[in-house]
Amino acid sequence: MELRWHPLLKEWIIISPRRKRRFTQKNPFSSKSPEMIGKTPPVILPNLYPNFTLDTCEIPKPSFYENSMAYGTSDVLVETDEESSDFDEYDSNKISNILSLIQTRMKELEKDDKIKYVFVFKNKGKEVGSSISHPHMQIYGMPFVPSVVKKQLASSRDYF
């Protein structure tokens, strides 16, 4: 995992060649899978194919572009043990438990000075690149604030 500076866009991009090697398991979040044994959703698991890592390995420095280690976290939040359910079908208690889990994780990530932005997103369907159909979200602790977020914050400040 590494970050590369894109000089035309003037922003960091994420390079994660290891993610191409993902295997397609029928359902890695079923209650019988090794990742889920002894766990009850909602639960946060480390992403087996992360875009960010807390490992402090040295990244080779090429001469023609600026790069950096992709420091951060990549978590998977398994929402439910029901393979075919979806967020709009959950009762308010389940939704509250999911949001509390996200809030707790965000507070943990806030303590790391190198984490500058926490990005929580829902993965659903092949259209968005999800390779797993089981209901899940991802939580990224990132070492930079994405440029689109910076622009939105600046626009909001200008407006008010």
Side-chain angles (χ1 to χ4, degrees):
M1 281 88 33
E2 74 177 281
L3 300 176
R4 289 186 190 162
W5 182 251
H6 193 303
L8 300 177
L9 296 176
K10 295 185 179 180
E11 64 185 18
W12 290 104
I13 58 171
I14 303 160
I15 305 296
S16 186
R18 189 173 158 218
R19 290 183 61 83
K20 290 180 183 176
R21 290 184 242 140
R22 290 184 291 186
F23 61 93
T24 312
Q25 184 177 333
K26 185 175 180 187
N27 184 359
F29 304 139
S30 76
S31 59
K32 296 176 183 166
S33 72
E35 291 86 3
M36 292 300 293
I37 291 176
K39 298 177 179 78
T40 304
V43 64
I44 293 177
L45 305 172
N47 192 321
L48 296 178
Y49 300 92
N51 279 322
F52 299 95
T53 180
L54 296 174
D55 294 338
T56 55
C57 58
E58 195 65 32
I59 300 289
K61 295 285 182 198
S63 59
F64 52 95
Y65 57 83
E66 181 182 353
N67 68 344
S68 173
M69 186 187 85
Y71 181 88
T73 61
S74 296
D75 302 321
V76 175
L77 190 157
V78 181
E79 301 168 20
T80 181
D81 47 13
E82 300 168 32
E83 188 172 341
S84 61
S85 66
D86 207 351
F87 204 84
D88 64 338
E89 300 168 356
Y90 301 160
D91 62 31
S92 59
N93 190 43
K94 183 181 281 276
I95 292 171
S96 179
N97 289 340
I98 290 169
L99 294 177
S100 291
L101 197 56
I102 292 169
Q103 182 181 35
T104 299
R105 183 61 175 145
M106 289 178 83
K107 286 181 178 180
E108 289 170 1
L109 294 173
E110 265 181 17
K111 295 174 185 174
D112 187 332
D113 291 337
K114 294 179 186 171
I115 302 289
K116 304 298 181 196
Y117 184 73
V118 177
F119 180 43
V120 180
F121 61 98
K122 173 117 173 100
N123 260 19
K124 183 177 179 189
K126 293 183 183 198
E127 303 82 15
V128 295
S130 180
S131 57
I132 301 168
S133 62
H134 195 108
H136 68 289
M137 297 178 175
Q138 293 197 50
I139 304 171
Y140 285 177
M142 300 167 57
F144 63 92
V145 179
S147 61
V148 69
V149 174
K150 286 181 183 179
K151 289 175 190 173
Q152 291 169 339
L153 289 170
S155 294
S156 296
R157 281 188 214 102
D158 290 348
Y159 180 78
F160 288 105

